[in-house]
């Protein structure tokens, strides 16, 4: 009988631990998604076009060679279409031939966040705006020097500020 009681109390303690761990994970999760700019889907829908919403907020992808900026060569800064965070400059933009705007580095490391994306049966590294959490695209290890990286970004995730307008 004692053994049974011990087993039951151990189970209870264990399940409490699991519960409190879950709570901890939940609050960590909230912190991770607690970006500086934090809006509900309804609020985003009021300021984004349907295409921008689908890509930035629902991790969509525009068709290759269809976006506004894949072949765009003006000098300036590319900012997040959701929140205006400065993400990339024309200095690091290059023609990767993939049909999406491609950069070999972000404006600074803190501007762009990364997370593992296992969707569509692939393992890729998703890139997001670190100010609002908006989905930008993916980063791949097949870029040019000096970083060897290709930040492959949806045009719809970006707005452009011309150099003389900065
Ligand atoms: Fe943003």
């Amino acid at each position: 009988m004692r053994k049974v009681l011990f087993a039951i109390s151990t189970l209870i303690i264990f399940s409490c631990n699991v519960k409190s761990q879950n709570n901890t994970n939940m609050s960590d999760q909230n912190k991770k998604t607690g970006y500086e700019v934090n809006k509900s889907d309804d609020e985003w829908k009021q300021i984004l076009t349907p295409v921008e919403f689908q890509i930035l907020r629902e991790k969509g992808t525009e068709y290759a060679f269809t976006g506004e900026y894949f072949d765009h060569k003006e000098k300036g800064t590319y900012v997040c279409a959701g929140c205006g965070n400065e993400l990339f400059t024309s200095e690091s933009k290059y023609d990767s031939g993939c049909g999406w705007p491609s950069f070999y580095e972000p404006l600074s490391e803190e501007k762009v966040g990364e997370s593992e994306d296992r969707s569509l049966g692939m393992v890729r590294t998703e890139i997001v705006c670190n100010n609002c959490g908006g989905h930008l695209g993916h980063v791949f290890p097949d870029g040019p020097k000096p970083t060897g990286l290709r930040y492959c970004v949806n045009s719809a995730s970006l707005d452009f500020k011309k150099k003389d307008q900065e």
Side-chain angles (χ1 to χ4, degrees):
M1 186 63 186
R2 259 192 188 177
K3 274 187 182 168
V4 173
L5 278 176
F6 178 73
I8 290 170
S9 56
T10 307
L11 271 176
I12 290 168
I13 290 166
F14 179 71
S15 59
C16 287
N17 274 343
V18 169
K19 201 175 172 202
S20 72
Q21 270 177 5
N22 280 346
N23 286 344
T24 309
N25 287 343
M26 279 296 284
S27 64
D28 283 347
Q29 196 68 28
N30 289 340
K31 271 182 209 156
K32 274 182 199 162
T33 55
Y35 291 100
E36 191 82 17
V37 174
N38 205 350
K39 297 182 192 295
S40 68
D41 282 354
D42 282 345
E43 288 170 323
W44 281 119
K45 280 178 183 170
Q46 283 170 23
I47 60 168
L48 298 175
T49 67
V51 172
E52 286 170 347
F53 181 84
Q54 200 230 333
I55 292 174
L56 280 166
R57 308 314 309 178
E58 297 183 312
K59 303 183 191 297
T61 303
E62 69 201 10
Y63 288 110
F65 302 103
T66 63
E68 194 177 349
Y69 299 124
F70 82 89
D71 196 27
H72 185 251
K73 295 186 168 71
E74 284 181 289
K75 300 264 180 243
T77 306
Y78 293 86
V79 305
C80 174
C83 73
N85 187 23
E86 295 187 339
L87 299 171
F88 301 95
T89 72
S90 53
E91 301 296 307
S92 68
K93 192 173 189 293
Y94 72 101
D95 184 8
S96 68
C98 74
W100 290 277
S102 301
F103 306 85
Y104 62 74
E105 66 184 0
L107 205 148
S108 75
E109 295 284 322
E110 308 87 62
K111 302 274 187 180
V112 175
E114 297 183 3
S115 66
E116 189 176 84
D117 174 6
R118 288 182 168 267
S119 66
L120 306 176
M122 297 178 265
V123 182
R124 295 176 293 171
T125 304
E126 181 196 5
I127 47 175
V128 298
C129 168
N130 252 349
N131 196 45
C132 72
H135 173 77
L136 303 174
H138 295 86
V139 58
F140 301 96
D142 57 11
K145 286 179 180 174
T147 61
L149 297 172
R150 170 171 57 104
Y151 288 79
C152 182
V153 185
N154 290 284
S155 293
S157 302
L158 300 172
D159 279 332
F160 181 72
K161 286 197 298 184
K162 244 182 166 177
K163 193 159 183 148
D164 51 19
Q165 292 172 351
E166 287 175 286

